[in-house]
Structure formats: C-alpha cells, structure tokens
C-alpha cells in the first residue's frame, strides 16, 4: 500500500530520506544495536524525526519553537512512536545546554545553517554531539538553485545579486538569510575532522516543474521522483539544486 503522505512531500524529502535510511542501517550494523540514539537539531514538527522513530530508533528533537514541538509530539503520538521521540526546546548555538555532548549515533542538521549567526559553530556543535563513531546528515539551502529560480521567474537583477552576495541572498525581501555551495558545505564539515561520504543535490527539478503537470499527468510524479534520485549524485547538478545534502561520518 502506498504512503498517503508520499506524493507531494516526497518531492522534497525522498532523496534525503533514502540516503539517511541507508546510513542509519549501516550505523546499526557497525554499532551492533538495532536502536540508535539520533539527534535532530532544528527538527521542527518531525518531518524526519517521526519516520526515523518508526524505524525503531530513539530521537531527540531540539527546536526553538514551542509550537513546532507541540505539533511534533502530536505527530509522534499519531504515528505510535511517542515513547521514542523526545522534544526539547533549544537551538544550535546553545545545543549543549539541553542535550548531551557526544551522546548520539547520528545527528541531523537540516535547515539550520541558513539561520544561525555562525554556520561553522553550528556544524561543530552538531559534530560534537556525535559519539566516537557517528553519522552527520547536513541539509542546507543551495545557492545555485535560488539563482536559477530567480532567473527563470524573470528577476534577472535579483539572480545576479544572489551570485555576488556573500550570503547568497537575492535582495532585502529574500526570506532565506544564507545559502551555500557544495564546496562551502563540505569545507565546513571537513574542518571538523569528519569524512564526507556523499553530497547530493536535492530538489534539482521539483521546484521548477509546474505543479499542475505533476498533479495531473499520469505517472509524472513517479517519473519526477526517479529523475531527482538519478540526478542527486551527479556533481553537475549540485550547482542548480534548491538544497544540498552532505553525509559525513566519524570513523
């Protein structure tokens, strides 16, 4: 039976989820335990935390929004994993005020670096939360995807501005405080001593294809998902992806 939540949401999460699920399976084998301790920083309402808990793992979600954490708890209860998900109010800067340093087999840092004052500190804290052998899943906004989107919308000056802006912003009205290239993200991770295992482009095409086509054309959704998966690992497409995903490990 197909997942009723899959179609639209999966365009945004499918690539990352498949990579993350495989990484957790490898970590389970390496650790010799079926249940891992996973930290999801900025995990919000549980887009990844709840599915990870459904795999049998224990997940701690740290987020500054009490409303998001309330929604997370409700979502976890509805999924039958309330006892495996812990919601903690906090942020990446003061991470170790609320969670244990070096206490997790895997750390998810998704959609966080765009908003913190010091991205390097955000990555260091995420890495410091890992056990001696652990996995980091890092997801952040990609510069190239924003440039392409503004250009295709006819906002050429904004597209050029994003290219030259140190933070990758297209103007004062840009809702995203910071964007990254794949090289910038991998450099931040490498500086912590972790080994980068893979880089994936996320939402390479999904944000550019008209929604009406995906929703009405028979087979279009499945075909687009397969195209996203095929393009994700190709370095040529990293430069135009809406988001970039970096998977790294501490051996």
């Amino acid at each position: 039976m197909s997942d009723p939540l899959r179609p639209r949401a999966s365009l945004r999460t499918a690539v990352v989820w498949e990579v993350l699920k495989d990484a957790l399976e490898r970590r389970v084998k390496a650790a010799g335990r079926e249940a891992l301790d996973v930290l999801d920083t900025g995990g919000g309402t549980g887009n990844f935390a709840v599915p990870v808990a459904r795999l049998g793992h224990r997940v701690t979600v740290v987020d500054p929004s009490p409303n998001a954490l309330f929604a997370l708890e409700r979502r976890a209860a509805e999924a039958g994993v309330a006892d495996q998900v812990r919601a903690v109010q906090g942020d990446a800067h003061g991470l170790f005020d609320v969670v244990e340093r070096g206490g997790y087999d895997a750390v998810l840092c998704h959609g966080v670096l765009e908003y913190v004052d010091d991205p390097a500190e955000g990555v260091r804290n995420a890495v410091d939360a890992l056990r001696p052998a652990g996995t980091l899943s890092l997801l952040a906004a990609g510069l190239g995807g924003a440039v392409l989107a503004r250009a295709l919308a006819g906002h050429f000056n904004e597209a050029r501005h994003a290219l030259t802006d140190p933070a990758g912003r297209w103007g004062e009205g840009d809702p995203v405080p910071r964007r990254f290239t794949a090289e910038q993200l991998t450099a931040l991770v490498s500086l912590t001593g972790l080994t980068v295992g893979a880089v994936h482009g996320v939402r390479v095409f999904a944000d550019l294809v008209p929604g009406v086509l995906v929703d009405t054309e028979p087979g279009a959704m499945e075909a687009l998902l397969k195209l996203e998966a095929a393009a994700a690992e190709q370095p040529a497409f990293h430069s135009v992806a809406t988001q970039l995903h970096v998977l790294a490990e501490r051996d």
Side-chain angles (χ1 to χ4, degrees):
M1 181 179 294
S2 62
D3 186 344
L5 299 178
R6 187 185 181 207
R8 180 60 66 177
S10 62
L11 283 175
R12 295 178 174 272
T13 63
V15 168
V16 179
W17 174 244
E18 290 303 320
V19 173
L20 178 61
K21 188 168 64 171
D22 290 345
L24 292 175
E25 289 176 359
R26 291 195 302 272
R27 187 53 58 194
V28 162
K29 292 178 180 179
R33 309 181 261 112
E34 291 188 1
L36 302 176
D37 293 304
V38 180
L39 174 65
D40 189 354
T41 64
T45 61
N47 286 340
F48 284 94
V50 170
V52 168
R54 290 176 70 177
L55 294 177
H57 306 303
R58 297 175 292 269
V59 187
T60 298
V61 177
V62 176
D63 196 277
S65 169
N67 291 335
L69 294 176
F70 178 77
L72 163 70
E73 291 176 335
R74 184 174 65 244
R75 189 175 190 173
E78 291 173 352
V81 293
D83 59 337
Q84 293 165 242
V85 177
R86 183 169 71 104
V88 180
Q89 188 171 0
D91 57 32
H93 175 69
L95 186 62
F96 299 114
D97 294 335
V98 294
V99 301
E100 177 186 358
R101 188 183 297 270
Y104 299 91
D105 300 292
V107 174
L108 281 56
C109 185
H110 295 174
V112 172
L113 298 187
E114 299 94 321
Y115 300 96
V116 297
D117 293 332
D118 185 350
E121 179 194 39
V123 175
R124 285 197 303 271
N125 283 351
V127 171
D128 287 346
L130 287 171
R131 286 175 173 152
T135 298
L136 173 68
S137 175
L138 185 66
L139 182 68
L143 170 63
V147 173
L148 184 61
R150 300 316 289 174
L152 291 178
H155 303 298
F156 306 122
N157 288 332
E158 291 179 351
R160 182 168 54 83
H161 188 278
L163 271 176
T164 58
D165 183 68
R169 305 184 75 233
W170 47 256
E172 292 184 3
D174 192 337
V176 179
R178 186 182 292 104
R179 293 185 179 87
F180 301 87
T181 64
E183 291 75 17
Q184 289 171 332
L185 284 180
T186 55
L188 286 173
V189 172
S190 296
L191 285 172
T192 67
L194 262 64
T195 300
V196 174
V199 179
H200 296 86
V202 181
R203 290 155 57 191
V204 175
F205 307 103
D207 293 349
L208 304 176
V209 175
V212 64
L213 187 155
V214 177
D215 293 335
T216 61
E217 187 73 19
M221 177 71 72
E222 194 66 30
L224 181 54
L225 283 168
K226 291 179 179 178
L227 176 61
E228 288 281 354
E233 293 189 32
Q234 300 295 325
F237 291 103
H238 294 169
S239 60
V240 294
T242 298
Q243 292 178 307
L244 295 164
H245 181 243
V246 176
L247 189 75
E249 297 186 340
R250 173 182 282 165
D251 298 325

